[in-house]
Each structure stands twice: as C-alpha cells, then as structure tokens.
Amino acid sequence: MFEEPEWAEEASVVADLGSVALGLRPTAASQIKGSNRRQLLATLRALEVASVPQQSPSLPGSDSEEEEEVVETKKKRLKRGLFAGASSEVEEKRKKKRHKQGPPSSDSKEEEVERKKCHKGALLGSDLAEEEKKKRKCQKQIPSNLAQPLDSVDQTGSKAWNSSATSDPTKPTCETPSSNPPHTLSRKQWRNRQKNKRRQKNKFRPSQPPEQAPAPAPASAEEAEVPSAPSPNNHGARAEALRARMAQRLDGARFRYLNEQLYSGPSSAAQRLFQEDPEAFLLYHRGFQNQVKKWPLQPVDRIARDLRQRPASLVVADFGCGDCRLASSIRNRVHCFDLASLDPRVTVCDMAQVPLEDESIDVAVFCLSLMGTNIRDFLEEANRVLKPGGLLKVAEVSSRFEDVRTFLGAVTKLGFKVISKDLTNSHFFLFDFEKTGPPRVGPKTQLSGLKLQPCLYKRR
C-alpha cells in the first residue's frame, strides 16, 4: 500500500492541536489543507513561544526565524515603554520640586536645557550599551567638576545640580555647571602651577647660612612671582671677594716689578731698595714662593737631600737663603745670608761681601740666587770663603742658560772644577763644583759666559 510521508502525519497532528485550540472538531480540522494549515502552524508556535519562553527552540526554518525576531522586537518595545514611563514620573517629580523652590534663575534654566538634551539623547539611543557608556563618561567627569573652586559656582546652580543628582539615581548625571569660567584648572594643573611658582621663588632667593632660619613664604601668589631682593650680606661678600681679587692682581704686578729690578741691576741697588721698603721683600718672597710651588720638584729640597748624605760636621753657607728652608732641613751648621730678613737666623748683607773669614766654610750654596748683573762677584766671594777642595752647589732656572758649556767654562776660570751636572729637570739645572784654588783671571777680564738671561715674567 502507499505510505504517507512523515510531514503529512506531523501536519495532521498539528492541525488537530490547532483545532482543539480554536474549538473545532479534529475531524473537521484534519480536512484543512494547503495554506490554511501553514497559518495555523505559525499561530500555534507563536502562542507556545509567548507562553513558555524557556522551551527548547523549534526546528530550523524560515517561519521559526521570523517568529523569533517578532518576539525580540516585542521585548525591546516593552523595555522602552517601561523606561519612558519611569523617566516621565521622574520629570513630574522634578517639576513639582522646582515649583516649590520658586522661579528658576538663568543658571538653572541653562542647566535644565542641558538636562533635557541629555535626557533626549538617552531616550533616542536604541541600544542599552550606549547608555552605559554615557553613564561612565558622566561619572568620570564628576570628580574634575568637584575639584573646581567653590567661588566660581553659583549657589543656585549647585543646589539645582545636587537636587537633580539625588532625585534620580538611575539617570546618568552628565550635566555640568555652565557658570564655570572656561579657564578653570583641574587638580593636577593647579598643583603644577603652584610647584612652578615655588621654583621661581627659590631661584631668586639668596643663599643663607645654616644657622639662619629660612624666610617665611609669601602670603599670595603675586608675591611669589616677584624675585626677592638680594640681601646686604650678599653684597658685602661680593665686594669683599672683588677687593681680594684686585689686591691679588696688585700684588702680582708689584712682584713682577721687583723681579725685574733684581735682574736688571747690581746687588747693591737691590739692597738699597729693600732697605727703603721692608715690605717689598716680603711681597717679593711671597710671589716667588707661589711660582716655585707649581714646580714638580723644588731645587732646595734636592740640595738638602744631597747634603744629608754628607757628614753633618760640614759648615754650609747659604747665599740668598730666603726663609732659611735649607737650614731647617739639614743637621749641618748653616750661615744664612740675604738682602732682607724673614727669619732671625738671616744675616742681612750684600752677597758680594759676606761677613765670613777666608777659607772658613766647607759648602757654598746658590739656590736660585744668581740674580743681578754682578754674578762674577758672587762666585769670587764664594771662592774666598771656601776651604781648598770645598764644594760649590748652583741651582738655577733652565731658561736662563743660552749655552751651558760657556757657563761652565767661565766658572772654571774662577778657580773651580766641574764635578757633576744634572740637566734632566724641566725647570732648573743643578751643578756641583770643587774649589781648585784662587781665580786664574784678573778682575778686569771679561767672562761672557756668566751673563745669564733675566728671569722675567710676562705682563698681564
């Protein structure tokens, strides 16, 4: 026999169910065919979805998809109606409160317009996600508005704003007071401005000693922008430093002048100069020591080291002793001679005529003291006071020698013999001579090798 298809049986069953729902008899409903059967099936499924939403989804098909869309649209319309009803009730409550408070001000009118705009924008949104975004934006804006100064907000505007915020907790509070000036700063900007003002104030504040208390901060911001006037102590310190610098330059100029006089004239003229002005020798010696301190090795220390290796019984004569540094460095007996006295052990005299007997000393020392135009007189006087075989030590600035060989030849003609020479130092040369006898030339014989270059300093 011919079997009916499965969809025919399903259709008959659905038709019977629909007939029961419509109050028809099953026999009459089973006779409905074609398009009527489909309509009944669609209405039946719609009733099932509306009554039982938790039921499992129906079979896939074009009719079932259309029915699901219809149900979703009904739900959305229902939610919008509920939201609109709630908002209308809130608006009625606000109107009653405004009527009780009195006529609204210009600021409250502007706020009302802003509220209406925001309310309309919330209602016109078709999706709940957009409303959530607006709520978040408004919540972010509230802390910055609260940080504004209280003076810039009207009392009426703040009251209206507070009432609207408390009366409707569900509505997003996106309105802001319109009476605030456009240049209102945020909390971070206000802190940065105050920090910059403090930096500007400390920049112009003079430095204070630690025992003094810091000056009080200015009362207003305008006072902080004005630089503080320098204190009189600061002016006094600057003036004192300027005077010290000028005095140092003056001393340097006088030292160069005295040094030029010592190298350009005989020792007798230099002695008269220092006798007339005792402070001049102190000034010259201080400048001389400042120059020698810059050397890597001082010649007087080198000579003292050599003499410490010899017997302590030797008698030493220091020509041009200065501050008697050599006498303080060795154990030997030392006769100190110079043009002026800086130490009680110094004998003031012309080094061409020292108060010593003939052949009475063992060592004669000239440490940076072959100055003046009568160097020959100094060496002849050393020959006179030295014992036979005595030691003559000479240390002089290296730049003064044009030809070392001619100098050594001239000294040998005055009754000496070269023992050793040290030309390794960059600042001075050191020579050791031994006395062989009296000078071999007469007093009128010219010795060109003894003319050394003057040690002059450049003018500044």
Side-chain angles (χ1 to χ4, degrees), residues 126-142:
S126 61
D127 199 359
L128 295 174
E130 294 179 0
E131 294 177 4
E132 299 246 342
K133 290 181 180 178
K134 291 180 181 179
K135 286 180 181 180
R136 292 171 185 170
K137 289 182 180 179
C138 296
Q139 289 175 0
K140 289 180 180 179
Q141 292 176 359
I142 287 172

Side-chain angles (χ1 to χ4, degrees), residues 315-319 321 327 333-337 345 347 356 360-361:
V315 180
V316 181
D318 188 3
F319 293 80
C321 61
R333 179 186 176 188
V334 181
H335 297 280
C336 303
F337 305 106
R345 293 172 289 182
T347 300
L356 287 176
S360 58
I361 63 173

Side-chain angles (χ1 to χ4, degrees), residues 5 23 33 45 54 77 92 94 119 182 197 225 236 250 274 277-278 284 287 309 314 343 346 364 386 396-397 424 438:
K33 299 179 180 179
R45 288 180 178 175
Q54 294 83 5
R77 287 175 183 173
E92 290 179 1
R94 288 180 181 173
H119 181 63
K197 287 180 180 179
E225 295 178 357
L250 181 60
F274 292 134
D277 187 4
Y284 172 79
Q309 297 176 359
L314 298 179
D343 191 275
V346 177
L386 274 173
E396 197 53 64
V397 181
T424 59

Side-chain angles (χ1 to χ4, degrees), residues 210-224:
E211 59 269 8
Q212 291 184 0
S220 63
E222 297 179 358
E223 295 179 2

Side-chain angles (χ1 to χ4, degrees), residues 139-215:
Q139 289 175 0
K140 289 180 180 179
Q141 292 176 359
I142 287 172
S144 63
N145 295 333
L146 293 175
Q148 297 172 357
L150 296 176
D151 297 338
S152 62
V153 183
D154 256 347
Q155 294 180 358
T156 57
S158 63
K159 287 180 181 179
W161 186 78
N162 291 329
S163 63
S164 64
T166 54
S167 63
D168 190 6
T170 60
K171 183 179 177 181
T173 57
C174 60
E175 60 271 13
T176 56
S178 61
S179 60
N180 291 335
H183 62 276
T184 304
L185 302 177
S186 65
R187 184 181 295 274
K188 187 175 182 180
Q189 292 174 344
W190 182 80
R191 288 178 178 175
N192 291 338
R193 178 169 290 186
Q194 295 297 324
K195 189 184 293 184
N196 292 335
K197 287 180 180 179
R198 287 194 296 270
R199 288 177 180 172
Q200 189 73 7
K201 178 184 67 176
N202 296 332
K203 181 179 179 182
F204 294 97
R205 178 180 293 177
S207 60
Q208 296 180 353
E211 59 269 8
Q212 291 184 0

